[in-house]
Structures are given as C-alpha cells and as structure tokens.
Amino acid sequence: MPVISAPLDFNEDELYVDLRSIFGHSLFLKCEGFNFAGSIKLKAATEMVEAAERDGLLRPGSVLVESSSGNLGVALAMIAANRGYRFLCVTDARCNPATIRMMEALGSQVHVIGEAATNGGFLAARLHYVRALCDSDDRYVWLNQYANPGNWQAHFRRTAPAIARQFPMLDVLFVGAGTTGTLMGCARFFRQWHRPVRVVAVDSVGSVTFGGPPGRRMIPGLGTSVRPQMLDESYVDEVVEVEEVDTIRACHRMAGRGFLFGGSTGTVVSGAMSWLADYPDSDLTAVAIAPDLGERYLDTVYRPDWLQELYGADALRTDEPATTQAA
C-alpha cells in the first residue's frame, strides 16, 4: 500500500492499454495521467524545478512563471503549492476552462492571453508577456520549458527506460510533439539502445514544428506556432500529421469503450493507427504515449455544441481517420 507525504511521490508508470480491440491494430498505449498532476508533464516539471533549486535560481520570495497550454501549468501549480512557491501560469484562450480552474484551486495565478501575435500566434504572445514580466521584476523565475534541458532529460531518464523495461523487443514508438521534450528524451534514449527502434513523431495539422504551414488549432497540448528550440529532427524517423477532427474521432472512439483520454492522446492514437494501417501483415511491437486523461476536455473535445460550432455536424462520423503522413 503506497503511503506518501508529497503529491510528487506518486506516479503510476507501468500502466498500458491494448488498443487492438478498439482500432484493429496492436498498439500498447502508455498511460501517463495517473498522478496528482494528471499528466506526463509532472516529470518535466519536477526535473526543471529541482534543477532550478540546485542551481540557486529559486530562492525565498521567488515567483515561478511559465507559459503553458495547460498540463505543465497544472504540474507546476501542484509543485509550487507543495513547496511553498508562488506560481503564475501564462496561457491563452484555447486553454481548457477546467485546467484554469484547477491551477487556481491549487493557489496559482493564471493570466490568459486573449489575442494572438501577428507572427507566432498565441505562443509568441505568451512568450512576449513572460519575457516582459521577467524584465520588470527579478523575483520572477522562468523555467522556460521550450529550451530547458531538464524537459527532455526527464524522459530520457524515466519515460523511455520504463518503456524499455516492459517492451524489450520494441519496434516502433509514437510520441506526440509539443515542446518536443518527451519526443527528444525518448528518441535519444532509444537511439543508443540495443536494437533499432523507429521513433515516429505525431503532430497536429496547422503546427509549424516540422516545417508545415501555420493553421488554426483549437485543441491544446500538441503542435506549436513557434518551432521548438530543443527539437533535433535527426533523432526522428518519421512524422505523422493529424487533423483535429481525427483527434476528436479517436477520443470519442476510445470513450465509447470506456477509456476517457485527452486531446493529445487522441492525436497520438490517430496518427499511430494511420501509420500502422500501412503495415497490416507485420508483427510489430508498437507503443504510443498517452500524455493525459480526458476530464479536462469535457468542456471542449467531449462537448457536442463546441464540436459542432468549430468542426461541423459530421465531426463525429465513424469513418476511418483521414490522417496524412509526412517524411
């Protein structure tokens, strides 16, 4: 029986869902949402905060500040509450309302950017606000998840080795691309492993991460309007791009079998199933990473009027996902 005194001390790291019965292809989904922060971002947040403490950047009176679309903000809000720091999350209008309420319930302050920048969209506007804030007062400590090596190191040290322990004959790993911390940490680990593992990055259509044109993206978590600083494409074997409507359909398909996952997970699963459809007769061992669960998306991905307004009446039709694959 686990007994803990700090919320960081619990993180279920060995739970997988076999999706074959739902989608028809063998895919083991690594569930990262079973901790008190509710997402994989707890690992990166912990690594970055502890590094800042070791380096003396966090001192009495310091105020943590970070730009986040949601999950990292919740993880930092939890850590800040537990360790006695103040925390300000800078997010934007696409952030799920439940996520904002959760950060506020943990005692953090949330600033919502309402207007995107002309160049770089909402992310550029958020980063401009954070930089201006830090320039105005040296009490603010910006961890900068977009460039902080602790982001990818957390997954090099924890996420990838956990997968390797359970799947020593792994053939292909599907990882969603946001800040690319999870992607880079896992890709670096498996590049030096004892057998070749194909690392497939899954991104949202409209994201500029891998050089695509910018476009509307309403589901937070994956994709970006500014190329991630830590991305090294030499570690990525393939990229699959997913339309948001296919993200939604994947989420609802899993929910129809009792598995309520978040938008990022829907994107990763949709991309993985598109890729696996090209190898119907292979006996591949495939794993995908599910960053979070679905409760924070009840006001968006799982709300019919929100879906119809943004994606039309046929958003939930049951056709196979029309996902595109890029080199």
Short mmCIF file of all heavy atoms in Angstrom, two decimals, residues 136-179:
data_model
loop_
_atom_site.label_atom_id
_atom_site.label_comp_id
_atom_site.label_asym_id
_atom_site.label_seq_id
_atom_site.Cartn_x
_atom_site.Cartn_y
_atom_site.Cartn_z
N SER A 136 10.69 43.04 -15.82
CA SER A 136 10.16 44.06 -14.92
C SER A 136 10.45 43.80 -13.45
O SER A 136 10.39 44.71 -12.63
CB SER A 136 8.64 44.18 -15.11
OG SER A 136 7.97 43.04 -14.59
N ASP A 137 10.76 42.54 -13.10
CA ASP A 137 10.92 42.18 -11.69
C ASP A 137 11.77 40.92 -11.59
O ASP A 137 11.39 39.87 -12.11
CB ASP A 137 9.54 41.94 -11.06
CG ASP A 137 9.58 41.87 -9.53
OD1 ASP A 137 10.61 41.41 -9.00
OD2 ASP A 137 8.59 42.24 -8.89
N ASP A 138 12.92 41.01 -10.91
CA ASP A 138 13.83 39.86 -10.85
C ASP A 138 13.36 38.77 -9.89
O ASP A 138 14.03 37.75 -9.74
CB ASP A 138 15.24 40.30 -10.50
CG ASP A 138 15.35 41.01 -9.15
OD1 ASP A 138 14.35 41.00 -8.40
OD2 ASP A 138 16.42 41.56 -8.86
N ARG A 139 12.22 38.96 -9.26
CA ARG A 139 11.67 37.88 -8.43
C ARG A 139 11.12 36.75 -9.29
O ARG A 139 11.01 35.60 -8.83
CB ARG A 139 10.57 38.40 -7.51
CG ARG A 139 11.03 39.32 -6.39
CD ARG A 139 9.83 39.78 -5.60
NE ARG A 139 8.86 40.48 -6.45
CZ ARG A 139 7.62 40.81 -6.10
NH1 ARG A 139 7.17 40.46 -4.89
NH2 ARG A 139 6.82 41.45 -6.93
N TYR A 140 10.74 37.06 -10.55
CA TYR A 140 10.17 36.04 -11.42
C TYR A 140 11.25 35.11 -11.96
O TYR A 140 12.29 35.57 -12.46
CB TYR A 140 9.42 36.70 -12.58
CG TYR A 140 8.12 37.35 -12.15
CD1 TYR A 140 8.03 38.73 -11.99
CD2 TYR A 140 6.99 36.57 -11.91
CE1 TYR A 140 6.85 39.32 -11.57
CE2 TYR A 140 5.80 37.17 -11.50
CZ TYR A 140 5.74 38.53 -11.33
OH TYR A 140 4.57 39.11 -10.92
N VAL A 141 11.01 33.82 -11.85
CA VAL A 141 11.93 32.80 -12.35
C VAL A 141 11.21 32.00 -13.43
O VAL A 141 10.23 31.30 -13.15
CB VAL A 141 12.39 31.86 -11.22
CG1 VAL A 141 13.28 30.74 -11.78
CG2 VAL A 141 13.13 32.64 -10.14
N TRP A 142 11.69 32.14 -14.67
CA TRP A 142 11.09 31.45 -15.81
C TRP A 142 11.88 30.17 -16.08
O TRP A 142 13.07 30.22 -16.41
CB TRP A 142 11.10 32.37 -17.03
CG TRP A 142 10.51 31.78 -18.27
CD1 TRP A 142 9.56 30.81 -18.36
CD2 TRP A 142 10.84 32.13 -19.62
NE1 TRP A 142 9.25 30.53 -19.66
CE2 TRP A 142 10.02 31.32 -20.46
CE3 TRP A 142 11.71 33.05 -20.19
CZ2 TRP A 142 10.09 31.41 -21.85
CZ3 TRP A 142 11.78 33.14 -21.58
CH2 TRP A 142 10.97 32.33 -22.40
N LEU A 143 11.21 29.04 -15.95
CA LEU A 143 11.88 27.76 -16.21
C LEU A 143 12.10 27.52 -17.69
O LEU A 143 13.01 26.80 -18.08
CB LEU A 143 11.06 26.62 -15.60
CG LEU A 143 10.90 26.66 -14.08
CD1 LEU A 143 9.97 25.54 -13.63
CD2 LEU A 143 12.24 26.55 -13.39
N ASN A 144 11.27 28.09 -18.53
CA ASN A 144 11.35 28.01 -19.99
C ASN A 144 11.36 26.56 -20.48
O ASN A 144 12.39 26.02 -20.92
CB ASN A 144 12.58 28.75 -20.52
CG ASN A 144 12.54 28.90 -22.04
OD1 ASN A 144 11.57 28.51 -22.70
ND2 ASN A 144 13.59 29.48 -22.60
N GLN A 145 10.21 25.95 -20.44
CA GLN A 145 10.08 24.55 -20.86
C GLN A 145 10.48 24.32 -22.31
O GLN A 145 10.79 23.19 -22.70
CB GLN A 145 8.64 24.08 -20.65
CG GLN A 145 7.61 24.82 -21.50
CD GLN A 145 6.29 24.06 -21.57
OE1 GLN A 145 6.26 22.83 -21.59
NE2 GLN A 145 5.18 24.78 -21.59
N TYR A 146 10.51 25.36 -23.12
CA TYR A 146 10.79 25.23 -24.54
C TYR A 146 12.28 25.04 -24.83
O TYR A 146 12.64 24.55 -25.90
CB TYR A 146 10.27 26.46 -25.29
CG TYR A 146 8.84 26.75 -24.94
CD1 TYR A 146 8.51 27.72 -24.00
CD2 TYR A 146 7.80 26.02 -25.52
CE1 TYR A 146 7.19 27.97 -23.64
CE2 TYR A 146 6.48 26.26 -25.17
CZ TYR A 146 6.18 27.23 -24.23
OH TYR A 146 4.88 27.46 -23.87
N ALA A 147 13.13 25.42 -23.89
CA ALA A 147 14.58 25.30 -24.09
C ALA A 147 15.29 24.62 -22.94
O ALA A 147 16.48 24.30 -23.05
CB ALA A 147 15.18 26.69 -24.32
N ASN A 148 14.60 24.39 -21.85
CA ASN A 148 15.22 23.83 -20.65
C ASN A 148 15.59 22.36 -20.88
O ASN A 148 14.72 21.54 -21.16
CB ASN A 148 14.24 23.94 -19.48
CG ASN A 148 14.88 23.67 -18.14
OD1 ASN A 148 15.67 22.76 -17.99
ND2 ASN A 148 14.51 24.48 -17.15
N PRO A 149 16.88 21.99 -20.76
CA PRO A 149 17.26 20.59 -21.00
C PRO A 149 16.62 19.61 -20.02
O PRO A 149 16.49 18.42 -20.32
CB PRO A 149 18.79 20.61 -20.84
CG PRO A 149 19.09 21.84 -20.04
CD PRO A 149 18.04 22.83 -20.43
N GLY A 150 16.20 20.10 -18.85
CA GLY A 150 15.51 19.23 -17.92
C GLY A 150 14.23 18.66 -18.49
O GLY A 150 13.79 17.58 -18.06
N ASN A 151 13.65 19.34 -19.47
CA ASN A 151 12.42 18.86 -20.10
C ASN A 151 12.67 17.51 -20.77
O ASN A 151 12.00 16.51 -20.47
CB ASN A 151 11.93 19.91 -21.11
CG ASN A 151 10.54 19.61 -21.64
OD1 ASN A 151 10.05 18.49 -21.60
ND2 ASN A 151 9.90 20.63 -22.17
N TRP A 152 13.65 17.44 -21.68
CA TRP A 152 13.90 16.18 -22.37
C TRP A 152 14.63 15.18 -21.49
O TRP A 152 14.42 13.96 -21.60
CB TRP A 152 14.63 16.38 -23.69
CG TRP A 152 16.06 16.84 -23.62
CD1 TRP A 152 16.51 18.12 -23.73
CD2 TRP A 152 17.22 16.01 -23.43
NE1 TRP A 152 17.89 18.15 -23.63
CE2 TRP A 152 18.35 16.87 -23.45
CE3 TRP A 152 17.43 14.65 -23.25
CZ2 TRP A 152 19.65 16.40 -23.30
CZ3 TRP A 152 18.72 14.18 -23.10
CH2 TRP A 152 19.82 15.05 -23.12
N GLN A 153 15.47 15.66 -20.57
CA GLN A 153 16.21 14.75 -19.70
C GLN A 153 15.28 13.93 -18.80
O GLN A 153 15.58 12.77 -18.48
CB GLN A 153 17.22 15.54 -18.86
CG GLN A 153 18.39 16.06 -19.68
CD GLN A 153 19.23 17.08 -18.92
OE1 GLN A 153 18.93 17.43 -17.77
NE2 GLN A 153 20.28 17.58 -19.56
N ALA A 154 14.17 14.52 -18.39
CA ALA A 154 13.21 13.78 -17.56
C ALA A 154 12.72 12.53 -18.26
O ALA A 154 12.55 11.47 -17.64
CB ALA A 154 12.03 14.68 -17.21
N HIS A 155 12.53 12.61 -19.57
CA HIS A 155 12.02 11.46 -20.32
C HIS A 155 13.14 10.52 -20.74
O HIS A 155 12.91 9.31 -20.90
CB HIS A 155 11.22 11.97 -21.51
CG HIS A 155 10.12 12.90 -21.08
ND1 HIS A 155 9.01 12.47 -20.40
CD2 HIS A 155 10.01 14.26 -21.18
CE1 HIS A 155 8.24 13.52 -20.11
NE2 HIS A 155 8.83 14.60 -20.57
N PHE A 156 14.33 11.03 -20.91
CA PHE A 156 15.50 10.19 -21.16
C PHE A 156 15.78 9.31 -19.94
O PHE A 156 16.14 8.13 -20.07
CB PHE A 156 16.71 11.08 -21.47
CG PHE A 156 17.97 10.32 -21.77
CD1 PHE A 156 18.28 9.94 -23.07
CD2 PHE A 156 18.86 9.98 -20.76
CE1 PHE A 156 19.44 9.24 -23.35
CE2 PHE A 156 20.03 9.29 -21.03
CZ PHE A 156 20.32 8.91 -22.33
N ARG A 157 15.57 9.86 -18.76
CA ARG A 157 15.88 9.15 -17.52
C ARG A 157 14.74 8.30 -17.00
O ARG A 157 14.98 7.31 -16.30
CB ARG A 157 16.27 10.17 -16.43
CG ARG A 157 17.55 10.92 -16.73
CD ARG A 157 17.75 12.08 -15.78
NE ARG A 157 18.99 12.80 -16.05
CZ ARG A 157 19.28 14.01 -15.61
NH1 ARG A 157 18.40 14.65 -14.84
NH2 ARG A 157 20.43 14.58 -15.90
N ARG A 158 13.49 8.66 -17.33
CA ARG A 158 12.36 7.98 -16.70
C ARG A 158 11.40 7.34 -17.71
O ARG A 158 11.11 6.15 -17.62
CB ARG A 158 11.61 8.97 -15.80
CG ARG A 158 12.44 9.49 -14.64
CD ARG A 158 11.62 10.41 -13.75
NE ARG A 158 10.44 9.73 -13.21
CZ ARG A 158 9.49 10.35 -12.51
NH1 ARG A 158 9.57 11.66 -12.29
NH2 ARG A 158 8.46 9.67 -12.05
N THR A 159 10.86 8.12 -18.64
CA THR A 159 9.81 7.61 -19.52
C THR A 159 10.32 6.52 -20.45
O THR A 159 9.74 5.42 -20.53
CB THR A 159 9.20 8.76 -20.35
OG1 THR A 159 8.79 9.81 -19.47
CG2 THR A 159 8.01 8.27 -21.15
N ALA A 160 11.40 6.79 -21.17
CA ALA A 160 11.93 5.81 -22.12
C ALA A 160 12.43 4.54 -21.43
O ALA A 160 12.11 3.43 -21.89
CB ALA A 160 13.02 6.44 -22.97
N PRO A 161 13.19 4.63 -20.34
CA PRO A 161 13.60 3.39 -19.67
C PRO A 161 12.43 2.55 -19.17
O PRO A 161 12.49 1.31 -19.18
CB PRO A 161 14.46 3.89 -18.50
CG PRO A 161 14.98 5.21 -18.96
CD PRO A 161 13.88 5.80 -19.78
N ALA A 162 11.36 3.21 -18.73
CA ALA A 162 10.18 2.47 -18.28
C ALA A 162 9.56 1.67 -19.43
O ALA A 162 9.13 0.53 -19.25
CB ALA A 162 9.15 3.43 -17.69
N ILE A 163 9.52 2.27 -20.62
CA ILE A 163 9.01 1.56 -21.79
C ILE A 163 9.94 0.40 -22.15
O ILE A 163 9.50 -0.71 -22.45
CB ILE A 163 8.87 2.53 -22.99
CG1 ILE A 163 7.79 3.58 -22.69
CG2 ILE A 163 8.53 1.77 -24.27
CD1 ILE A 163 7.73 4.72 -23.69
N ALA A 164 11.24 0.65 -22.11
CA ALA A 164 12.21 -0.38 -22.46
C ALA A 164 12.12 -1.59 -21.54
O ALA A 164 12.28 -2.74 -21.99
CB ALA A 164 13.62 0.21 -22.44
N ARG A 165 11.86 -1.36 -20.27
CA ARG A 165 11.74 -2.47 -19.32
C ARG A 165 10.57 -3.37 -19.68
O ARG A 165 10.65 -4.60 -19.59
CB ARG A 165 11.56 -1.95 -17.89
CG ARG A 165 12.83 -1.40 -17.27
CD ARG A 165 12.65 -1.20 -15.77
NE ARG A 165 11.57 -0.28 -15.43
CZ ARG A 165 11.73 1.04 -15.29
NH1 ARG A 165 12.93 1.58 -15.48
NH2 ARG A 165 10.70 1.80 -14.96
N GLN A 166 9.46 -2.78 -20.08
CA GLN A 166 8.26 -3.56 -20.37
C GLN A 166 8.25 -4.15 -21.78
O GLN A 166 7.61 -5.18 -22.02
CB GLN A 166 7.02 -2.68 -20.18
CG GLN A 166 6.81 -2.20 -18.76
CD GLN A 166 6.60 -3.33 -17.78
OE1 GLN A 166 5.97 -4.33 -18.10
NE2 GLN A 166 7.15 -3.19 -16.58
N PHE A 167 8.96 -3.50 -22.72
CA PHE A 167 8.94 -3.94 -24.12
C PHE A 167 10.37 -4.03 -24.65
O PHE A 167 10.79 -3.21 -25.46
CB PHE A 167 8.10 -2.97 -24.96
CG PHE A 167 6.65 -2.91 -24.56
CD1 PHE A 167 6.22 -1.96 -23.64
CD2 PHE A 167 5.73 -3.81 -25.07
CE1 PHE A 167 4.89 -1.91 -23.24
CE2 PHE A 167 4.40 -3.77 -24.68
CZ PHE A 167 3.97 -2.82 -23.77
N PRO A 168 11.10 -5.06 -24.24
CA PRO A 168 12.49 -5.19 -24.67
C PRO A 168 12.64 -5.45 -26.16
O PRO A 168 13.74 -5.26 -26.71
CB PRO A 168 13.01 -6.37 -23.84
CG PRO A 168 11.79 -7.13 -23.45
CD PRO A 168 10.72 -6.12 -23.28
N MET A 169 11.55 -5.85 -26.84
CA MET A 169 11.59 -6.08 -28.29
C MET A 169 10.80 -5.01 -29.03
O MET A 169 10.22 -5.26 -30.10
CB MET A 169 11.06 -7.47 -28.61
CG MET A 169 11.86 -8.59 -27.95
SD MET A 169 13.63 -8.54 -28.37
CE MET A 169 13.56 -9.01 -30.10
N LEU A 170 10.77 -3.80 -28.50
CA LEU A 170 10.03 -2.69 -29.12
C LEU A 170 10.52 -2.42 -30.54
O LEU A 170 11.72 -2.37 -30.79
CB LEU A 170 10.22 -1.44 -28.26
CG LEU A 170 9.51 -0.16 -28.73
CD1 LEU A 170 8.00 -0.33 -28.65
CD2 LEU A 170 9.96 1.04 -27.91
N ASP A 171 9.56 -2.22 -31.46
CA ASP A 171 9.88 -1.90 -32.85
C ASP A 171 9.63 -0.44 -33.19
O ASP A 171 10.41 0.18 -33.91
CB ASP A 171 9.06 -2.78 -33.80
CG ASP A 171 9.43 -4.24 -33.72
OD1 ASP A 171 10.62 -4.56 -33.91
OD2 ASP A 171 8.54 -5.07 -33.44
N VAL A 172 8.50 0.10 -32.71
CA VAL A 172 8.14 1.47 -33.09
C VAL A 172 7.50 2.18 -31.91
O VAL A 172 6.71 1.58 -31.17
CB VAL A 172 7.21 1.48 -34.33
CG1 VAL A 172 5.95 0.66 -34.07
CG2 VAL A 172 6.84 2.90 -34.73
N LEU A 173 7.88 3.43 -31.72
CA LEU A 173 7.34 4.25 -30.63
C LEU A 173 6.73 5.51 -31.24
O LEU A 173 7.38 6.22 -32.02
CB LEU A 173 8.46 4.64 -29.67
CG LEU A 173 8.07 5.57 -28.52
CD1 LEU A 173 7.10 4.88 -27.56
CD2 LEU A 173 9.31 6.07 -27.76
N PHE A 174 5.48 5.81 -30.86
CA PHE A 174 4.77 7.00 -31.32
C PHE A 174 4.73 8.02 -30.19
O PHE A 174 4.25 7.71 -29.09
CB PHE A 174 3.35 6.65 -31.76
CG PHE A 174 3.28 5.67 -32.89
CD1 PHE A 174 3.14 4.30 -32.64
CD2 PHE A 174 3.38 6.09 -34.20
CE1 PHE A 174 3.10 3.38 -33.67
CE2 PHE A 174 3.33 5.18 -35.26
CZ PHE A 174 3.19 3.82 -34.99
N VAL A 175 5.22 9.23 -30.46
CA VAL A 175 5.29 10.27 -29.44
C VAL A 175 4.74 11.56 -30.01
O VAL A 175 5.14 12.00 -31.10
CB VAL A 175 6.75 10.51 -28.98
CG1 VAL A 175 6.76 11.46 -27.78
CG2 VAL A 175 7.44 9.20 -28.63
N GLY A 176 3.83 12.20 -29.29
CA GLY A 176 3.30 13.48 -29.71
C GLY A 176 4.34 14.58 -29.57
O GLY A 176 5.21 14.54 -28.69
N ALA A 177 4.26 15.58 -30.44
CA ALA A 177 5.22 16.67 -30.45
C ALA A 177 4.56 17.97 -30.01
O ALA A 177 3.70 18.50 -30.70
CB ALA A 177 5.82 16.85 -31.85
N GLY A 178 4.97 18.45 -28.83
CA GLY A 178 4.55 19.77 -28.34
C GLY A 178 5.80 20.61 -28.20
O GLY A 178 6.34 21.12 -29.18
N THR A 179 6.31 20.72 -26.98
CA THR A 179 7.62 21.34 -26.79
C THR A 179 8.72 20.44 -27.35
O THR A 179 9.84 20.87 -27.54
CB THR A 179 7.92 21.58 -25.30
OG1 THR A 179 7.98 20.33 -24.62
CG2 THR A 179 6.85 22.47 -24.67
#
